[in-house]
């Protein structure tokens, strides 16, 4: 039988025996056990009285382990190369990193879950996820300090208080009761800001305005102190993080992934507002390493533009806290080397070598820190809303003055005639 295999080594049954053991019986009932090592390309004999299963992966005799990794990933995620080289040193093998997939490929990291053969998957260190890239929150205008010290409910309560007091004073006030309702409202607002502007009459009117002034001292004092503190540091609009915020505020390019999540999209060829332009991106480990890999995929004639473009991206965009399809990184390993990689992958997970390796590497200065304290001069454009309010108020006052004068003169002219 053994001679038969030698004559036709390409036979399917012979190929099957080469993956295991070849047992030969002779006429005298003796037994011979042969084992073919695919890495050394040699056949060895095993003692049938003391069978010890040989470990073929202990010495790979220079066998080439080819790992398939995309070029932009291998330049950033250098641990894959380091991991393969350490195995090559320990097991007398040759480590080859390539970005071309072929039948010689022995191992490759699993980046996407689409149309993947799940056989041969081994858990490794690191994570894979689909991130949502959203615009960073923009700084609030300086005019917003006029509204931000109190929340919506406090402002509603305060205006309801002013409205209730204006109605009460218009009905029962001795002095203010003779004024127009709008004048009473303006007077109460002026009392809140700077105190009473005139003498009032009547016991009820004096008492209720005195209580309103006491409340105004506490309310306006806290309001002014909050404004001063708010003007000393930079405040930002809320960040986009939750699923509800992504669905409400984001616009995505019209392709299959946003449609899969039922996100709002914009037509291809158009450009949305910068505050709504969001993207889906497959990431690895964290935002910084993902941005670094993305920067290597940019193809531009000017070498300096890549770094400038990524600096712009980091300063203006960020990863939302909501992620999709986040799972542990896995390697797809061919069956002859599966047990070898099981041992070493388990070792790096338990020892924490993966985290230690990247924590001790220098990273590009792409960190982004929001401004904390105000260190710029307030310009006219920052107070544009206040200038608009001032001009509109002045214009309204002039119009009211002209109308009042004209109407008053006409009434006087009619009184003289009659």
């Amino acid at each position: 039988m053994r001679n038969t295999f030698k004559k036709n080594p390409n036979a399917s049954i012979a190929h099957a025996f080469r993956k295991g053991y070849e047992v030969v019986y002779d006429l005298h009932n003796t037994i011979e056990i042969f084992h073919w090592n695919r890495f050394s390309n040699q056949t060895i004999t095993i003692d049938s009285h003391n069978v010890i299963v040989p470990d073929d992966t202990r010495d790979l005799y220079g066998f080439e382990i080819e790992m398939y990794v995309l070029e932009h990933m291998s330049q950033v995620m250098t641990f894959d190369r380091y991991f393969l080289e350490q195995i090559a040193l320990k097991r007398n093998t040759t480590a080859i990193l390539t970005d071309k997939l072929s039948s010689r490929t022995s191992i490759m990291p699993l980046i996407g879950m689409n149309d993947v053969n799940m056989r041969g998957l081994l858990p490794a260190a690191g994570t894979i996820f689909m991130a949502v890239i959203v615009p960073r929150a923009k700084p609030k205008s300086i005019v917003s300090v006029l509204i931000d010290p109190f929340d919506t409910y406090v402002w509603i309560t305060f205006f309801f208080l002013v409205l209730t007091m204006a109605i009460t004073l218009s009905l029962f006030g001795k002095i203010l009761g003779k004024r127009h309702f709008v004048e009473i409202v303006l007077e109460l607002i002026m009392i809140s800001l700077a105190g009473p502007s005139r003498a009032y009459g009547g016991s009820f009117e004096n008492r209720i305005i005195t209580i309103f002034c006491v409340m105004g001292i506490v309310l306006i004092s806290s309001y002014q102190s909050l404004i001063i503190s708010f003007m000393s540091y930079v405040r930002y609009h809320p960040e986009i993080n939750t699923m509800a915020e992504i669905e409400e505020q984001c616009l995505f390019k019209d392709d299959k992934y946003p449609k899969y999540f039922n996100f709002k999209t914009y037509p291809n060829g158009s450009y949305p507002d910068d505050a709504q332009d969001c993207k889906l991106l497959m990431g690895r480990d964290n935002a910084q390493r993902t941005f670094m890999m993305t920067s290597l995929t940019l193809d531009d004639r000017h070498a300096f533009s890549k770094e400038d473009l990524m600096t712009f991206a980091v300063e203006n965009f960020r990863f939302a806290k909501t992620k999709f399809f986040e799972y542990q990184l896995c390697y797809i390993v061919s069956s002859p080397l599966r047990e070898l990689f099981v041992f070493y992958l388990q070792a790096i997970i338990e020892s924490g070598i993966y985290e230690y390796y990247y924590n001790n590497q220098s990273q590009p200065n792409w960190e982004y820190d929001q401004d904390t304290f105000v260190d710029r001069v307030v310009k006219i454009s920052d107070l544009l809303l206040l200038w608009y309010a001032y001009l509109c108020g002045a214009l309204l006052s002039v119009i009211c003055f002209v109308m009042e004068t004209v109407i008053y003169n006409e009434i006087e002219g009619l009184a003289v005639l009659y």
Side-chain angles (χ1 to χ4, degrees):
M1 184 182 293
R2 185 166 181 269
N3 294 330
T4 303
F5 289 157
K6 282 184 178 182
K7 290 179 182 179
N8 190 8
N10 295 322
S12 59
I13 189 170
H15 182 70
F17 271 117
R18 282 186 173 182
K19 292 184 178 180
Y21 300 91
E22 182 180 347
V23 182
V24 179
Y25 296 89
D26 61 9
L27 296 175
H28 302 287
N29 295 325
T30 59
I31 186 170
E32 289 182 298
I33 302 176
F34 300 96
H35 173 66
W36 182 71
N37 188 330
R38 59 171 297 176
F39 301 112
S40 64
N41 200 23
Q42 295 177 350
T43 302
I44 62 173
T45 303
I46 300 176
D47 185 4
S48 59
H49 300 286
N50 184 21
V51 177
I52 299 176
V53 178
D55 184 4
D56 293 343
T57 61
R58 185 175 295 277
D59 188 345
L60 298 180
Y61 297 94
F63 179 80
E64 294 182 350
I65 300 180
E66 191 171 290
M67 175 183 281
Y68 169 75
V69 183
L70 295 176
E71 183 179 359
H72 67 278
M73 290 189 177
S74 63
Q75 293 182 28
V76 177
M77 308 304 293
T78 55
F79 184 82
D80 295 329
R81 179 188 293 274
Y82 171 78
F83 172 60
L84 198 61
E85 289 175 350
Q86 294 303 309
I87 294 179
L89 291 175
K90 296 291 184 181
R91 297 299 176 100
N92 186 23
T93 182
T94 304
I96 299 177
L97 212 64
T98 179
D99 60 349
K100 296 180 180 180
L101 190 61
S102 66
S103 58
R104 293 169 51 85
T105 302
S106 301
I107 179 173
M108 60 180 291
L110 176 63
I111 304 302
M113 296 295 290
N114 297 333
D115 302 326
V116 174
N117 186 354
M118 295 302 174
R119 292 179 299 175
L121 285 185
L122 297 179
T127 56
I128 298 291
F129 58 90
M130 180 171 285
V132 183
I133 300 179
V134 298
R136 289 190 182 274
K138 299 295 187 290
K140 289 186 176 182
S141 64
I142 193 170
V143 180
S144 63
V145 299
L146 299 176
I147 301 174
D148 288 350
F150 295 151
D151 62 8
T152 305
Y153 299 105
V154 174
W155 285 116
I156 292 174
T157 304
F158 175 73
F159 284 116
F160 267 113
L161 174 63
V162 171
L163 184 63
T164 304
M165 287 195 61
I167 295 173
T168 304
L169 290 173
S170 65
L171 295 174
F172 306 106
K174 185 176 181 180
I175 302 297
L176 294 178
K178 300 176 183 180
R179 301 293 181 181
H180 194 273
F181 182 77
V182 177
E183 289 187 63
I184 300 175
V185 173
L186 291 175
E187 180 64 25
L188 291 173
I189 294 175
M190 292 301 297
I191 291 173
S192 299
L193 296 176
S197 62
R198 67 183 73 188
Y200 306 106
S203 175
F204 175 77
E205 187 173 293
N206 286 333
R207 289 174 184 274
I208 194 171
I209 290 179
T210 301
I211 295 173
F212 185 75
C213 289
V214 173
M215 189 205 70
I217 292 173
V218 178
L219 187 67
I220 301 304
S221 296
S222 61
Y223 176 77
Q224 291 175 344
S225 62
L226 287 173
I227 285 181
I228 293 172
S229 63
F230 281 5
M231 291 182 67
S232 63
Y233 70 95
V234 182
R235 294 168 304 112
Y236 292 84
H237 292 283
E239 298 278 13
I240 301 175
N241 279 314
T242 64
M243 185 67 175
E245 292 169 346
I246 294 172
E247 292 177 342
E248 181 182 354
Q249 303 180 39
C250 281
L251 288 176
F252 294 86
K253 187 177 180 180
D254 191 11
D255 55 24
K256 62 178 182 178
Y257 288 112
K259 289 181 179 179
Y260 178 82
F261 294 106
N262 199 24
F263 289 148
K264 292 185 290 186
T265 60
Y266 60 87
N268 295 334
S270 62
Y271 297 94
D273 185 75
D274 291 340
Q276 294 181 301
D277 187 13
C278 301
K279 298 178 180 63
L280 288 170
L281 178 67
M282 187 63 71
R284 187 166 172 183
D285 285 357
N286 53 42
Q288 186 180 27
R289 292 171 196 165
T290 303
F291 272 125
M292 290 169 62
M293 287 187 289
T294 305
S295 68
L296 297 176
T297 61
L298 301 174
D299 187 12
D300 198 286
R301 296 180 181 179
H302 304 289
F304 64 86
S305 63
K306 289 185 178 181
E307 185 173 353
D308 293 342
L309 187 58
M310 288 312 302
T311 301
F312 172 81
V314 171
E315 290 179 353
N316 292 274
F317 296 92
R318 51 178 288 274
F319 280 13
K321 292 182 179 179
T322 300
K323 300 176 182 177
F324 304 102
F325 302 127
E326 185 173 9
Y327 54 90
Q328 185 177 356
L329 174 69
C330 294
Y331 284 124
I332 303 176
V333 184
S334 59
S335 56
L337 298 172
R338 184 176 175 83
E339 293 184 3
L340 171 67
F341 279 96
V342 166
F343 173 78
Y344 283 106
L345 287 172
Q346 187 67 27
I348 65 173
I349 293 174
E350 294 180 355
S351 62
I353 295 176
Y354 185 81
E355 292 77 10
Y356 179 82
Y357 177 85
Y358 283 113
N359 290 338
N360 286 272
Q361 283 189 337
S362 59
Q363 302 293 340
N365 189 20
W366 280 343
E367 295 293 338
Y368 176 80
D369 295 323
Q370 291 182 339
D371 294 333
T372 304
F373 297 101
V374 176
D375 57 354
R376 60 185 179 89
V377 179
V378 178
K379 301 179 181 179
I380 293 179
S381 59
D382 296 325
L383 302 176
L384 200 58
L385 183 60
L386 293 180
W387 287 111
Y388 284 152
Y390 173 76
L391 293 175
C392 291
L395 182 61
L396 181 62
S397 300
V398 171
I399 293 174
C400 292
F401 174 75
V402 172
M403 292 179 62
E404 184 179 353
T405 303
V406 172
I407 294 173
Y408 179 75
N409 291 336
E410 288 183 357
I411 292 175
E412 277 193 344
L414 291 174
V416 170
L417 291 176
Y418 292 100

